Amino acid sequence: MGKPCGRDWMQIYSIYGTDEWQTVAFLIFHSFLVALLSLLLLIYFTPFLLSIHSLLPSLPLPFLRFAAGFSGSVLSLSSLCLLFAAANVLYSSLPLRWLMAQRMLAAVPNWFAVRTALDLGCGRGILLNAVALQLKKEGSSGRVVGLDRDRDTAVSALRRAGAEGVQEYVTCREGDAHRLPFPDGYFDVVVSAVYLGRQGESAVERGRGIGEVVRVLKPGGMGVLWDLACAPEFAQRLKDMRMEEVWVSERVTAYMVGSHIVSFRKPITVSIEDWRANIC
């Protein structure tokens, strides 16, 4: 698959692994199960056809032959689709996440000037450590905070920062995206990957999360969000909140659905009423 930014995929995998093994295993198991059914139907086609005909003698044999052949074709195609879905989920869980992290970093023009950054929903730490590596590369004295709703996940992300050699740039803590434990205007940059629009959240909750991102950004600070389904909604909310330079990337397929990056800048002079009135 090549080398991402001069690094080997196996090196990245050894640090981050994947959090989708159960989904991948489920899809592969059912892919082989369906393929086996298709193969058995092919091998025992004639006995199967005669058995069905003996049970349903009123149906013409040519029709049953066509139905059985069609069923076998559907099973074969379903097996391939399940296998493709497993490959896409596996790819999305690590290689694509790393590549999207690099795209999100590119949306921020000057990392050297960044003193405080937040990764909202840091998870395994892929985006978190990509930010830390960028700060280190630019010779910045800044730090990035990783926030996750699960304490153990945040601790694991901090350990991976050590494996990447950027632990001095990283702080991790537990917290709620809807009530961020930071004061107004604290961060130069806020990033978040597949977190604010996660499954099960209502539009009101998503709006509150976007409002918190805007609240903790410094005037002139940048936000960069990657989401699977809610990017257009996020972009519209940000425009309603009078954010500047709202940009939506081209569509990228991730986890079998379309995803987009949304970036924006908080105005230097912004009325609190302008954005708080549009949070919900």
Side-chain angles (χ1 to χ4, degrees):
M1 276 193 295
K3 292 188 176 183
C5 303
R7 302 184 63 185
D8 187 85
W9 283 122
M10 292 307 296
Q11 179 189 15
I12 297 174
Y13 178 79
S14 67
I15 296 173
Y16 298 102
T18 178
D19 55 0
E20 298 290 349
W21 275 119
Q22 289 184 330
T23 303
V24 172
F26 176 86
L27 291 169
I28 290 177
F29 172 78
H30 284 84
S31 172
F32 281 104
L33 181 62
V34 172
L36 178 62
L37 291 175
S38 176
L39 183 62
L40 289 174
L41 181 59
L42 178 64
I43 294 172
Y44 299 103
F45 184 80
T46 300
F48 175 78
L49 191 63
L50 293 176
S51 298
I52 295 298
H53 186 59
S54 65
L55 294 173
L56 302 169
S58 59
L59 294 177
L61 193 60
F63 172 79
L64 291 176
R65 184 179 291 109
F66 170 80
F70 180 78
S71 298
S73 300
V74 170
L75 286 172
S76 299
L77 184 60
S78 298
S79 174
L80 290 175
C81 289
L82 287 168
L83 200 59
F84 175 79
N88 184 265
V89 169
L90 187 60
Y91 172 72
S92 300
S93 71
L94 183 60
L96 183 61
R97 274 186 174 265
W98 181 266
L99 293 173
M100 294 302 285
Q102 305 311 308
R103 293 190 189 186
M104 294 173 73
L105 295 181
V108 179
N110 184 11
W111 281 100
F112 179 77
V114 173
R115 293 294 174 266
T116 51
L118 170 67
D119 178 14
L120 188 54
C122 61
R124 287 172 288 161
I126 295 174
L127 178 57
L128 174 74
N129 291 331
V131 170
L133 286 166
Q134 186 68 24
L135 292 172
K136 183 177 181 179
K137 177 183 175 182
E138 295 291 334
S140 170
S141 60
R143 292 181 64 86
V144 56
V145 178
L147 184 133
D148 200 276
R149 55 184 170 177
D150 181 72
R151 184 179 182 278
D152 292 338
T153 300
V155 171
S156 296
L158 187 59
R159 291 198 194 101
R160 292 186 177 103
E164 289 279 23
V166 291
Q167 192 164 10
E168 67 272 23
Y169 292 87
V170 174
T171 302
C172 292
R173 61 181 296 177
E174 180 184 3
D176 183 358
H178 305 120
R179 289 179 293 275
L180 294 178
F182 308 105
D184 295 359
Y186 188 78
F187 294 101
D188 297 298
V189 173
V190 176
V191 296
S192 183
V194 195
Y195 189 75
L196 287 174
R198 58 190 182 277
Q199 188 176 11
E201 287 211 331
S202 66
V204 171
E205 290 173 318
R206 292 193 296 270
R208 191 174 296 123
I210 292 291
E212 282 292 276
V213 169
V214 171
R215 179 183 68 79
V216 300
L217 267 176
K218 293 178 181 177
M222 284 202 66
V224 188
L225 315 172
W226 174 37
D227 194 74
L228 299 182
C230 301
E233 176 191 329
F234 290 170
Q236 187 57 54
R237 285 183 180 275
L238 290 164
K239 290 175 182 177
D240 293 342
M241 295 161 74
R242 306 293 190 269
M243 295 299 107
E244 298 176 346
E245 301 175 26
V246 178
W247 172 80
V248 180
S249 74
E250 74 282 2
R251 181 182 185 273
V252 176
T253 300
Y255 299 100
M256 302 298 292
V257 299
S259 71
H260 300 268
I261 293 172
V262 179
S263 65
F264 67 96
R265 187 181 297 277
K266 185 174 179 178
I268 297 293
T269 56
V270 58
S271 167
I272 295 177
E273 288 75 17
D274 276 347
W275 58 266
R276 282 190 173 167
N278 289 284
I279 288 177
C280 298

